[in-house]
Amino acid sequence: MSGRRVSRQSSSSGGGGGGSSGSSSSSRITDDEMINLISKLQQLLPEIPTSNTRTNRRTNHAKASASKVLQETCNYIKNLHREVDDLSDRLSQLLSTIDADSTEAAIIRSLIE
Amino acid sequence: MINQLSTMRSTPRMTSSSTSLKQLFMKKWIMGMKACSSSMKKSSLLERKNTIKLSADLAMASTRMVAGCTTYWRRAIITNASKDPNSKHLINHIVGKYSRSNNNYNSVLMTKITSVQLHCTRLLRKSRSKKRKNIVGWRTMSDKKIAASILSRRLVRKRTQVLKSLVPGGEAMDECSLMKEAIDYIISLQTQVDGMKHIINAVTASKS
């Protein structure tokens, strides 16, 4: 029990980097690995053009805040889900107005390209 | 797998590997929709949309799926879909032989959930005891730093919970694997969206 408390304090001194020691004890992840994962995740996320984009680019190499990256990730996944929903909606509407043969021909053509 | 992902990201998004993934997804998706085409013609708009979405998810889940693959989210999608008896035809068509080997996902999930629940109750007990320390004295710098770190840790925990609810099968994962799964899931979602846009553009182009 006390061992866990000690490891918690050390992770908080590292800037609150995700509480990695709080997760299951079977997979010992280092803070470096966590930082690595977070930076990779950050690279995947689209950059939001704000008024401070110039200052963002300068400080881009600074360590990303874990909670911000997590929030952006959640928002991005929600956006992607919504996009999939919209696209499948559109497709189902399109399929109702088109007969089968022309649709299949168009699809096969697009796959070949 | 993570190394492959990192090399994919260093080049612009439309690399040859990502286009081949996209084509694989599109092929599986269309195969699935063709298998249900007879039922789709009769069904309503909403049912057709659900079929399209389900076949897209299954196609995404079965793309780049190896027999020894350890991504949970793919298996979670397939397991959740197989709970519905109407979708079994679609699953067999798109996923095929891997659907049988993934039956042990449920048992793994149950054991992990109980261990996570135990862990969560322990964390809750600890956080309650820590809350009492916060109230005393905010004046000194070290106290402020401790408060900031506690706040940031709470934020991270809250957002990790949200992420767990978004990634399929995320409830049973620890933080490290959740991050890895999220990375893989986002890449697959991007592939899915690109593939769907491609096909819809082709269909609208043929219409006009």
Side-chain angles (χ1 to χ4, degrees):
Chain A
M1 277 274 277
S2 59
R4 264 197 200 160
R5 253 182 228 150
V6 168
S7 58
R8 271 206 171 188
Q9 283 168 2
S10 63
S11 74
S12 68
S13 64
S20 56
S21 54
S23 55
S24 69
S25 52
S26 55
S27 60
R28 292 261 179 92
I29 19 163
T30 62
D31 277 341
D32 285 337
E33 213 180 302
M34 207 63 182
I35 292 170
N36 211 10
L37 286 174
I38 291 178
S39 63
K40 284 209 176 97
L41 199 51
Q42 201 192 12
Q43 284 169 31
L44 281 176
L45 303 175
E47 232 183 73
I48 301 169
T50 61
S51 57
N52 331 334
T53 317
R54 280 183 207 156
T55 52
N56 277 348
R57 274 183 207 143
R58 272 182 230 149
T59 57
N60 220 1
H61 299 292
K63 187 173 108 175
S65 150
S67 60
K68 258 191 201 163
V69 169
L70 281 174
Q71 191 185 28
E72 292 297 318
T73 310
C74 294
N75 290 338
Y76 190 45
I77 292 182
K78 281 183 201 162
N79 282 338
L80 288 172
H81 281 167
R82 210 185 317 142
E83 247 192 286
V84 167
D85 214 36
D86 286 341
L87 287 171
S88 43
D89 224 356
R90 266 177 72 187
L91 189 61
S92 77
Q93 283 173 356
L94 279 174
L95 286 177
S96 63
T97 57
I98 287 185
D99 57 284
D101 294 325
S102 63
T103 316
E104 285 177 37
I107 289 170
I108 293 166
R109 246 181 279 130
S110 74
L111 277 180
I112 294 170
E113 283 156 27
Chain B
M1 206 204 312
I2 301 287
N3 292 328
Q4 275 178 303
L5 296 174
S6 59
T7 50
M8 259 172 73
R9 281 312 294 168
S10 58
T11 55
R13 200 160 135 183
M14 291 303 291
T15 58
S16 56
S17 56
S18 62
T19 40
S20 62
L21 277 175
K22 197 172 93 170
Q23 282 173 341
L24 193 59
F25 161 76
M26 289 198 285
K27 207 193 298 182
K28 291 200 175 201
W29 184 38
I30 289 175
M31 262 171 40
M33 289 202 288
K34 273 191 181 175
C36 303
S37 59
S38 54
S39 64
M40 281 218 284
K41 279 178 195 167
K42 305 169 199 165
S43 52
S44 69
L45 206 65
L46 188 63
E47 283 168 5
R48 206 177 311 148
K49 173 194 160 183
N50 289 335
T51 316
I52 290 174
K53 208 170 161 197
L54 179 64
S55 51
D57 283 339
L58 288 173
M60 175 176 69
S62 64
T63 306
R64 212 207 240 164
M65 196 167 165
V66 183
C69 187
T70 50
T71 52
Y72 278 118
W73 67 265
R74 290 195 166 97
R75 285 186 265 172
I77 289 181
I78 295 173
T79 314
N80 290 335
S82 58
K83 286 178 190 164
D84 180 19
N86 298 332
S87 45
K88 284 222 162 128
H89 174 64
L90 200 54
I91 291 175
N92 285 332
H93 217 93
I94 297 182
V95 182
K97 53 180 173 173
Y98 298 125
S99 59
R100 274 163 243 138
S101 59
N102 287 324
N103 285 336
N104 44 7
Y105 170 74
N106 268 334
S107 54
V108 172
L109 183 62
M110 290 316 293
T111 51
K112 277 214 162 186
I113 281 179
T114 47
S115 66
V116 164
Q117 277 174 345
L118 277 172
H119 194 72
C120 280
T121 47
R122 279 184 214 144
L123 282 175
L124 274 172
R125 271 182 231 140
K126 277 192 188 172
S127 64
R128 270 179 220 143
S129 60
K130 278 198 172 177
K131 268 181 198 171
R132 284 170 213 143
K133 288 181 190 172
N134 282 356
I135 301 168
V136 181
W138 282 65
R139 302 291 164 86
T140 61
M141 271 306 289
S142 56
D143 277 350
K144 282 184 183 170
K145 278 185 188 170
I146 291 172
S149 66
I150 289 172
L151 181 64
S152 65
R153 248 186 288 140
R154 274 197 205 151
L155 269 178
V156 165
R157 213 179 297 157
K158 199 167 49 163
R159 284 166 187 171
T160 314
Q161 280 303 311
V162 176
L163 187 60
K164 278 187 180 180
S165 68
L166 284 174
V167 174
E171 307 291 334
M173 297 179 211
D174 58 307
E175 259 195 44
C176 179
S177 43
L178 180 67
M179 303 286 286
K180 291 180 184 169
E181 299 263 335
I183 292 172
D184 191 37
Y185 185 52
I186 287 180
I187 290 183
S188 307
L189 274 179
Q190 287 170 344
T191 313
Q192 188 186 39
V193 166
D194 282 345
M196 288 173 88
K197 278 185 187 169
H198 198 104
I199 299 231
I200 288 178
N201 289 337
V203 172
T204 46
S206 72
K207 191 180 176 186
S208 56

